[in-house]
Amino acid sequence: MKIRTRYAPSPTGKMHVGNLRSALYEFLIAKHEGGEFMLRIEDTDQERIVEGATEIIYRTLEKTGLIHDEGPDKDGGYGPYVQSERMKTGIYLKYAKELIDKGEAYYCFCDKERLDSLKTEVVEGKEITVYDKHCLSLSKEEVEKNLAEGKPYVIRQNIPNEGSTTFHDELYGDITVENSELDDMILIKTDGYPTYNFANVVDDHTMNITHVVRGNEYLSSSPKYQRLYDAFGWESPVYVHLPLITDENHKKLSKRSGHSSFEDLIEQGFVTEAVVNYIALLGWSPEDNREIFSLDELIKEFDYHRISKSPAVFDIVKLRWMNGEYIKAMDFDTYYEMAKPYIDEAVKTDVDKKKLAEWVKTRIEVFPDIKELIDFVDELPEYDIDMYTHKKMKTNAESSLLVLKEILPILEEQDDYSNDALYSTLLNYVEEKGYKNGFVLWPVRTAVSGKQMTPAGATELMELFGKDETIKRIKAGIAKLERA
Ligand code: GLU
């Protein structure tokens, strides 16, 4: 049997981390077995559709490399791939009528007023009406009459009050619920659209889907889906209901966290491959403790039996670390193209920006980190003279003033401001005086950068700045120390 999986997003906005994880796992399950990965757009809830959301879905799948074999833009013989278009073929109504004939569904003509008077229950935070099967008792003639009169209707699933229903999930095992706990959910709405609840079953079956991966918010509805499969005599797909993704406080990952969607993360300077790698580990782990995987490696290693049902914590610190590893491993040109906008923003003076990029490559976790590392380039920052004191280097304000004053004329004399030349000048001076290297290099670096930590050493910074700027900064250091 050929593995066929589907990613079935509703075009309702940004691509959430949870959605991307479902898409990724579906993709990996299919590709691991040489199967097919399909895209289906679930737009039956017309009120929730957000303009541009479908484009986000296409863009994200392409960017992340989760390339679908079939979808609205790639016919594979199972189309249409958009539910509103499938509806026009009459497929949902046809199957709903089949259920009515089997006694597994019925027309319901209850108006809003009557429904409002019924008992409600809160299911997963949403208030739903518990339907009392009122219309189940309508005679065939009454139904025909209502239909002929054009009375608005819905079609409901008929779930008996007795007995129980069992379905199987790969992570949760067999789950059995009492039928009395299941409501007669709507299959076809008054506007003629199927509900997600009905469409997902009809579509997954008619599109030959073998594995369904989705968030565990669908777990409680799955017995109802199982009843539909059974009523039709269809085999249900393998279900994998994924654990919730939470933030560090074990709350559902929300917009407020600032990193709940793929677009947010990219905007914050994360690298696509690192995000995909990290998301793969939100609920899945390989046999060993390996953590860095390219998409191809994931395809090879991914075994859905190793998905865990414990909640997956989205750890931004971990993602930042992983992103840093990806940046370190990038080839320079690709990296430079991504780093350049951040460098351009932080540095307006005419210096060797490639050099700056090289220096920070191994020191950043996300691209916006660049700014802080090079914010001393355009202008010498205000700094405290305490910075000249370094226990290990045996330096303090006094010794630094001495060194800077001695070195200034030497640097003024020199014209070759290459790193190598500057380095041997400083070392000559060190040797001549019988100092330790750090005793000289520390105050010089402090004076030219005004920072405790710099992405490069003293002479590299001097080379970047050139003679004039270097002399200016050394003089400023002397003045600062003399004033103290
Ligand atoms: N359209 C549903 C959603 O976006 C898909 C759920 C499923 O994968 O079955 O949540």
Side-chain angles (χ1 to χ4, degrees), residues 254-274:
S254 72
K255 256 191 213 159
R256 237 174 309 131
S257 71
H259 37 257
S260 65
S261 78
F262 177 73
E263 296 91 315
D264 289 344
L265 293 170
I266 297 306
E267 242 170 64
Q268 287 162 23
F270 287 94
V271 178
T272 301
E273 290 78 4

Side-chain angles (χ1 to χ4, degrees), residues 6 8-10 42 196 214 218:
R6 90 302 194 266
S10 304
E42 304 208 322
Y196 161 77
R214 61 183 167 213
Y218 291 100

Side-chain angles (χ1 to χ4, degrees), residues 400 402-448 456-463 470-471 474:
S400 298
L402 171 85
V403 165
L404 293 181
K405 277 170 102 169
E406 282 181 0
I407 204 88
L408 179 64
I410 306 175
L411 291 175
E412 280 177 324
E413 199 124 303
Q414 178 155 341
D415 286 319
D416 184 352
Y417 262 63
S418 66
N419 178 32
D420 288 346
L422 288 163
Y423 197 70
S424 48
T425 303
L426 290 192
L427 281 206
N428 282 341
Y429 165 73
V430 161
E431 250 170 56
E432 216 174 88
K433 297 281 177 182
Y435 297 146
K436 288 254 160 41
N437 287 4
F439 189 77
V440 172
L441 293 176
W442 182 264
V444 173
R445 190 177 64 99
T446 303
V448 294
T459 52
E460 289 168 293
L461 297 179
M462 291 155 82
E463 179 189 64
T470 300
I471 299 292
I474 300 272

Side-chain angles (χ1 to χ4, degrees), residues 11 24 52 71 74 104 145 199 245 249 267 278 302 311 318 408:
L24 176 62
K74 264 185 225 168
E104 297 282 345
K145 187 172 158 271
I245 300 176
N249 304 317
E267 242 170 64
Y278 182 70
F302 194 82
K318 178 88 183 264
L408 179 64

Side-chain angles (χ1 to χ4, degrees), residues 6-12 19 22 26 40-43 48 83 196 200 204 212-215 217-218 225:
R6 90 302 194 266
Y7 175 47
S10 304
T12 53
N19 293 341
S22 296
E26 296 259 17
R40 180 173 76 224
I41 301 294
E42 304 208 322
D43 60 348
R48 288 181 57 223
Q83 283 181 334
Y196 161 77
N200 89 85
D204 286 341
V212 167
V213 178
R214 61 183 167 213
E217 67 266 30
Y218 291 100
Y225 308 154

